[in-house]
Amino acid sequence: MPSSPPVVSIAACADTIGARAAGHLDHLWRWAMRSQGGVADADWFRLISGEPHPLGNLAILAWDDHEAAIAAVTPLLSIAQPSAVICLHGASEHLAAVLAARGFQPHGAMPAMAVDIARLAVTPLPHGDMFERIATPAAFGEWTDVLATGYELPRGLSRMLSPEALGADPADDARIQFFAIRRGGRIVATSMMFIDDGLAGLYCVATLPEARGQGLGAHVTAEPLRRAQALGYRVGVLQSSDAGHPVYRRLGFQDVGAVPLFVRMPGG
């Protein structure tokens, strides 16, 4: 179990919650990719997986520092696959210009969001659907397949974020945990919880297209956080997609920051 004491509330860390919610993403990538090709520096993290998706070849910048940015992104310039830069603490005009000169164009900003877990909205499941924690190898591949389909990721990249690659410690207080919703025996929605820096972070929230609009994404987000609450955690965080943002707002999450994203498409 992580050693950082749980954050007691958003209000208790109002001055830092935005940075911590954004930084949680960096902590996950550093931890999950430590044996999958990730390269870490004090000021940046870089992954080159060769997968044909920007998130498979990315740099995460801890600070708005153009020299660190150049060091982080230069190896990305020689690959044929799309790549991305995530700026945890914003991107000044100068940093944006440095990235643009290397082919990285602005691609919006991911809302960094947080919730006091005790204030989460109720999330009923449709009759017959079952929420479960993924803990046995028999389900690992199916979980990966649903994440790949629901999030429109290459399967190889989804695998790097899955129990196939990271394992599934069955302990109640395991640092990383995987969850799913089953319908008729098959997985139709996924999520991952990563506990770090006193916060419970939600990632890999995906629902198959035919199961969307039925509350599954909300439940597969909220229920892991309720389990974290039973362990003493009080605040959940995530970085939202545009599609997920209204869902998370209805659950009780609030915007606490924004994480700029830049994308490079070779030949574009």
Side-chain angles (χ1 to χ4, degrees):
M1 186 174 186
S3 58
S4 300
V7 173
V8 297
S9 69
I10 294 173
C13 61
D15 293 341
T16 61
I17 187 60
R20 293 173 77 164
H24 204 274
L25 176 68
D26 181 52
H27 298 176
L28 170 65
W29 280 95
R30 287 172 183 259
W31 186 89
M33 301 301 155
R34 65 197 187 283
S35 61
Q36 299 191 78
V39 178
D41 179 89
D43 297 323
W44 50 262
F45 167 85
R46 182 176 62 240
L47 174 71
I48 300 178
S49 72
E51 291 292 330
H53 192 282
L55 295 182
N57 311 284
L58 85 167
I60 300 176
L61 306 182
W63 311 107
D64 189 334
D65 182 321
H66 73 276
E67 291 184 358
I70 292 170
V73 308
T74 296
L76 297 174
L77 306 182
S78 61
I79 66 174
Q81 295 80 19
S83 54
V85 177
I86 296 172
C87 303
L88 296 180
H89 298 293
S92 64
E93 289 186 9
H94 180 57
L95 178 58
V98 167
L99 295 175
R102 288 156 179 82
F104 290 92
Q105 299 301 316
H107 199 70
M110 299 179 289
M113 307 185 77
V115 67
D116 289 311
I117 298 174
R119 298 184 178 181
L120 280 167
V122 175
T123 56
L125 273 179
H127 180 72
D129 288 359
M130 300 291 293
F131 175 84
E132 68 177 49
R133 182 168 172 192
I134 299 297
T136 59
F140 291 178
E142 186 181 7
W143 190 97
T144 304
D145 291 340
V146 173
L147 174 62
T149 300
Y151 216 91
E152 298 183 353
L153 295 174
R155 193 187 190 283
L157 177 56
S158 295
R159 188 184 187 281
M160 296 175 76
L161 294 164
S162 80
E164 285 190 85
L166 302 174
D169 183 346
D172 289 342
D173 61 354
R175 188 173 193 180
I176 194 164
Q177 303 179 25
F178 299 90
F179 300 92
I181 294 172
R182 288 189 183 271
R183 173 173 294 173
R186 58 188 287 263
I187 295 175
V188 293
T190 66
S191 65
M192 169 213 290
M193 182 169 67
F194 180 62
I195 297 174
D196 185 86
D197 191 28
L199 301 164
L202 261 291
Y203 299 90
C204 300
V205 178
T207 305
L208 291 179
E210 64 269 24
R212 291 174 184 163
Q214 301 168 46
L216 304 192
H219 191 82
V220 84
T221 299
E223 189 60 27
L225 293 178
R226 296 185 184 107
R227 295 191 177 198
Q229 185 180 29
L231 299 173
Y233 291 89
R234 298 291 178 261
V235 177
V237 296
L238 54 78
Q239 303 80 35
S240 176
S241 64
D242 289 341
H245 190 255
V247 175
Y248 301 133
R249 292 283 294 180
R250 289 193 295 271
L251 273 176
F253 280 85
Q254 57 186 277
D255 295 319
V256 294
V259 184
L261 175 67
F262 294 78
V263 172
R264 179 177 183 267
M265 303 296 289

